[in-house]
Every structure is written in C-alpha cells, then in structure tokens.
Amino acid sequence: MDLLSYQSLFFVGIAGTGMSAIAQYLRGCGKNVSGSDRLFANGNKSVLQQQFEQMGITCHMQDGSGIDESIDLVVVSTAIEETNVEYQKAMQLGIPIVKRSAVLAAISDEVKTIAVGGTSGKSTTTAMIFHILSQAGLQPSLITGAGLTELQEKGLPGNAYKGEGEWLVIEADESDGSIVGYHPEIALVLNIERDHKEADELIDLFATFKNHTKGAFIVNADNALSAPLSLQKEWDFSSKGEKVGIKGSSFKQSGFGISFKINGTSCKIPVLGEHNMENALAAFAACQQVGVSKDTIIKALASFKGIYRRTQLVGEKKQSKQYVIDDFAHNPSEVAAAIAACQLISPRVVAYFQPHGFGPLRFMHAELSQEVAKVLRPNDYFLIGDVYYAGGTVDKNISPTIVSTAIIREGKQAVFVGNKQGALTEMITLAQENTTFLIMGARDPQLDQLGKELLKRL
C-alpha cells in the first residue's frame, strides 16, 4: 500500500485502541483524519473524543454521515463486519476499504521499525523501548496498544506519538495474524503461549515474522516455544542464566517497585512483578541494538512511569493497607502473573476477572482455571464476572462458572459474581485490612471505572 497516495482517511471504530493509535500517528504525519465510533455522542463528549478534536481529527457518530466522496480510504478493524452501515456506504461510493493491520504494515515499511511481538507483555515492552529511546534523545515515534502515563500526562491518549527521529516502535499483534505483514529492522518475541490460536499456528506466525525481519531478531530464551526461533544467542535475553547476551538476576520486589541486575549492573523500575523484569530485559536488548549505551538504558528505566491498566495503582487506603490495582490481563499467564505480583504487596489478594469474549473464554477456560488455582494462596479470592460482549455474531453458549467451579474443585476460593455491580458488592463484602484488590480484563472501555468506585467505597 502506498500511503503517500492517500490524503484523507476515515477510521470506522476509531476509538478502539489499535485504530486510534494509527489515526493519531497519521494525523501527526499531516494526513486529514476523521472517524466514527459507537461510543461517540454529540453531547457529553468523552475525553478521547475531545482529545481527537484538539488534534484536528474529526469525530462522527457511526451512522455513515462522515463518509462522502472526499474520503480517499476507509480503514476498518477486524471487529467491523461487512453489514456495518459505514462499510456498506464506502462500498457504494467505491472508496477502497482496508484493514487496520494493512495500514500499520504500510507505515512500518516507510520507516525504521522496532516491532515487539509475543502473547504477553507487548504493550509494556513497547512502552519501555519508546521511553528509553526518548530519554536517549532519539525522538522516536510510537504505535501501541496501551496509553503511556508519560504521554497521558501531556493530555494525549498516550498510545501513539509522531516523533522527529528515524525510529518507530510498534506493537505487533499475533491474534489476527497481522504480525506476518511487518518487515522491521529489529524484532522481539517475548513469549509464545496458546492464546487466541493453537501453539503450532502461533509458532508458524512467529517463524514468518522472523523471516521478514531485516536485522536483529531477539527472543526470550526462557520460553520453551520462542527459544528455538533464536537467530543469534548474543541478541537474546534470559533471567535463568542461559548463554545469551542479556542476562537478568537477583530479582526483588519492594512495595511498588522492582530491582534486579542486567548483566551484573543494578536496575530499578517503579513497576510491579517479575514479568516486568523480563520486559525490561527485552527492551534493554532492543535498545542496545539501536546503539543506546547500557548506562543510558538503566537510567531511563528508573524513570519509567508505566502504562495504563498494567498493574496500575488506582489508589490506596493507607491506614488499613488496602490497595486497588487495575490490569489489562486477559490470558491465563497474564492473569496469574498479575495475581503473583499483587501477592508481593499484601498477604491477601481479592482478584476480579472479566472475560473479554465468549470465544476467548471457550478457548482458554481450562488453562485459566489451572493457572489461577496454581497461584492462589489459601487466603486469596478469585472472582469471575459476566463475559464482556462487544457486539457482533458470536456463540454465547458458555458460562464463566466453568472457571470458578474448576478452581473450587482444586480447593481454592472462587466466586462467580455476575455483572460489575455484583463484583463491586462482593469485593466490599470481602474487604479487610492488608488486602490488595486486583481488577482484570480487556476490551471493556468502562472497566477502569470499577476500581475507582471500589476505592471510594472501601
């Protein structure tokens, strides 16, 4: 795709994380960008809608009114079906329609790209790399799946940025297979686990990703499925003493920060969880390939402010030592890792999880039950709620109780709580001193409000 030939682009479902990031980036490149979303309203505009309009991105209701002959290209996500009114209008007007992933691939072909892949940790690692390159004065660009706190503090959505430098850092998605469309200078595979797709299919996707990479291909040597893809051990990372170039050791978590060593040098980051040491090792490996010095990387990581809804502290009640944490975790390993990170804060964790779709629940319920039961302590609780339904045609013939029942069978405490109000009521009922409340789930744009409401009620 020759993006230079298109000046006016319309995004259907522009408020979606992946869509909004590309829209912002292209607006930063000087394109005329507009879009629609079912969440938009003429009155009581959302924060995101206001931010878009301040950038010069025109927002419309999702009724077809924003699409006319002036539009050169219509961009849709995989969630937009052909029956969508705007899809149909673009077809009637003869306007080309492309998937979001194709646009991102075209963007990455135009600039030097670092592409971060893996079934877990992509957003955080992408953010870390962007932050390090920024601190090194390289003025990078960013297209990712979660808002960086440092950008949100500037009044931006935080999941995209158009810098003046030569490097673009992107989050490469394997869930829709689009990862095979990228040809980055530097690529990372953080891990490969059965998620969205079967393991064999994922391995094939990442192998193609490797073949399309122009330069360094960096893998996690500790992950059984990613390690065989190694191109050069000196580029890889490990926290288990493997013969690789980037080694992590001496992990500790104290309060809301972690410390460890990278190749023998002490490193501290104000984030939670051992999984974030792995993410930092990956970021370190990528930035060294760019040419950033070890000392600059270590110093930059110490000032990393994290990203939206990734073990993010919503607030605390200091007197009772109660904490509310919000996290985007949605696959079994991510859910277990988030719970484990919170267990290092408090002797008791009450974790709530909202499944992000009927299909994903059907695909992963057995592994989710096993991973959660394995990590829960006798005093911890796991609450599971109704499935978040984002619309479209889908088989709804599965209940979240399949997870809670399996966990109880393993001798651990689990409760099906129904809707978010039911979750709030149950968490308040279970409230005690020295407890961390963890809220997890993806896709639902209103889920972040649950933690804020809980904090008020504690």
Side-chain angles (χ1 to χ4, degrees), residues 229-249:
L229 293 173
S230 176
L231 191 62
Q232 188 169 321
K233 291 291 185 183
E234 288 76 10
W235 296 343
D236 299 341
F237 62 96
S238 167
S239 60
K240 297 180 179 176
E242 301 290 339
K243 294 180 180 179
V244 296
I246 310 301
K247 299 177 183 178
S249 61

Side-chain angles (χ1 to χ4, degrees), residues 229-448:
L229 293 173
S230 176
L231 191 62
Q232 188 169 321
K233 291 291 185 183
E234 288 76 10
W235 296 343
D236 299 341
F237 62 96
S238 167
S239 60
K240 297 180 179 176
E242 301 290 339
K243 294 180 180 179
V244 296
I246 310 301
K247 299 177 183 178
S249 61
S250 305
F251 173 82
K252 292 180 182 178
Q253 180 173 311
S254 178
F256 288 86
I258 61 175
S259 63
F260 52 95
K261 291 184 178 179
I262 301 181
N263 289 0
T265 300
S266 296
C267 180
K268 293 183 177 180
I269 316 179
V271 295
L272 295 177
E274 192 166 358
H275 59 288
N276 273 318
M277 176 178 73
E278 291 190 357
N279 293 336
L281 295 175
F284 186 99
C287 292
Q288 282 219 314
Q289 289 294 327
V290 172
V292 183
S293 71
K294 178 173 73 172
D295 290 344
T296 299
I297 296 172
I298 297 291
K299 183 179 179 181
L301 286 170
S303 63
F304 179 62
K305 294 183 177 181
I307 59 177
Y308 175 67
R309 296 201 66 233
R310 301 306 192 274
T311 50
Q312 183 179 35
L313 178 65
V314 178
E316 61 183 299
K317 299 291 184 179
K318 292 185 178 179
Q319 189 171 356
S320 58
K321 294 183 179 179
Q322 293 173 314
Y323 306 95
V324 179
I325 304 289
D326 196 12
D327 197 89
F328 193 74
H330 58 282
N331 69 35
S333 62
E334 290 174 344
V335 170
I339 293 172
C342 291
Q343 287 172 333
L344 296 174
I345 302 172
S346 302
R348 183 171 181 262
V349 172
V350 176
Y352 163 72
F353 175 61
Q354 177 179 266
H356 63 293
F358 291 95
L361 178 62
R362 184 176 295 103
F363 187 76
M364 70 180 186
H365 70 83
E367 288 151 301
L368 177 64
S369 305
Q370 292 165 8
E371 292 293 324
V372 171
K374 193 187 305 180
V375 76
L376 286 180
R377 301 168 299 188
N379 202 33
D380 295 332
Y381 278 83
F382 183 76
L383 315 180
I384 189 165
D386 290 334
V387 175
Y388 175 69
Y389 174 58
T393 54
V394 63
D395 178 6
K396 300 179 182 179
N397 189 28
I398 188 168
S399 169
T401 56
I402 195 171
V403 175
S404 53
T405 300
I407 294 172
I408 292 169
R409 199 178 296 128
E410 294 297 319
K412 301 299 177 66
Q413 301 186 95
V415 181
F416 172 66
V417 294
N419 61 25
K420 282 181 281 191
Q421 183 58 48
L424 179 63
T425 300
E426 188 69 21
M427 284 188 283
I428 293 169
T429 300
L430 292 171
Q432 295 179 8
E433 293 186 351
N434 297 304
T435 298
T436 291
F437 297 88
L438 171 62
I439 295 167
M440 298 173 286
R443 290 187 181 172
D444 182 354
Q446 301 301 319
L447 188 55
D448 62 346

Side-chain angles (χ1 to χ4, degrees), residues 88-252:
Q88 288 295 312
K89 186 169 183 182
M91 290 279 288
Q92 292 167 7
L93 293 174
I95 302 171
I97 302 171
V98 297
K99 298 287 188 183
R100 173 197 65 85
S101 56
V103 179
L104 180 54
I107 291 170
S108 67
D109 280 343
E110 293 180 352
V111 295
K112 294 176 72 172
T113 300
I114 301 172
V116 182
T119 45
S120 301
K122 293 187 293 294
S123 295
T124 298
T125 304
T126 302
M128 286 180 173
I129 294 170
F130 174 79
H131 177 70
I132 293 166
L133 298 184
S134 297
Q135 293 298 301
L138 297 180
Q139 299 181 301
S141 297
L142 172 75
I143 297 176
T144 189
L148 278 66
T149 299
E150 63 187 271
L151 294 178
Q152 290 177 333
E153 289 176 349
K154 297 177 181 179
L156 301 171
N159 59 335
Y161 190 80
K162 177 62 177 72
E164 298 300 320
E166 63 178 348
W167 285 100
L168 167 66
V169 191
I170 68 169
E171 182 177 332
D173 188 11
E174 81 292 337
S175 66
D176 60 359
S178 61
I179 193 169
V180 302
Y182 307 125
H183 302 84
E185 272 68 26
I186 299 170
L188 298 91
V189 179
L190 306 177
N191 40 60
I192 303 175
E193 297 169 353
R194 183 177 180 270
D195 181 24
H196 301 291
K197 301 178 185 296
E198 295 294 344
D200 289 347
E201 186 177 357
L202 288 171
I203 291 169
D204 288 343
L205 288 173
F206 283 107
T208 303
F209 182 46
K210 170 185 175 179
N211 293 335
H212 288 178
T213 300
K214 301 172 186 175
F217 189 78
I218 301 163
V219 305
N220 181 356
D222 296 338
N223 181 264
L225 297 183
S226 67
L229 293 173
S230 176
L231 191 62
Q232 188 169 321
K233 291 291 185 183
E234 288 76 10
W235 296 343
D236 299 341
F237 62 96
S238 167
S239 60
K240 297 180 179 176
E242 301 290 339
K243 294 180 180 179
V244 296
I246 310 301
K247 299 177 183 178
S249 61
S250 305
F251 173 82
K252 292 180 182 178

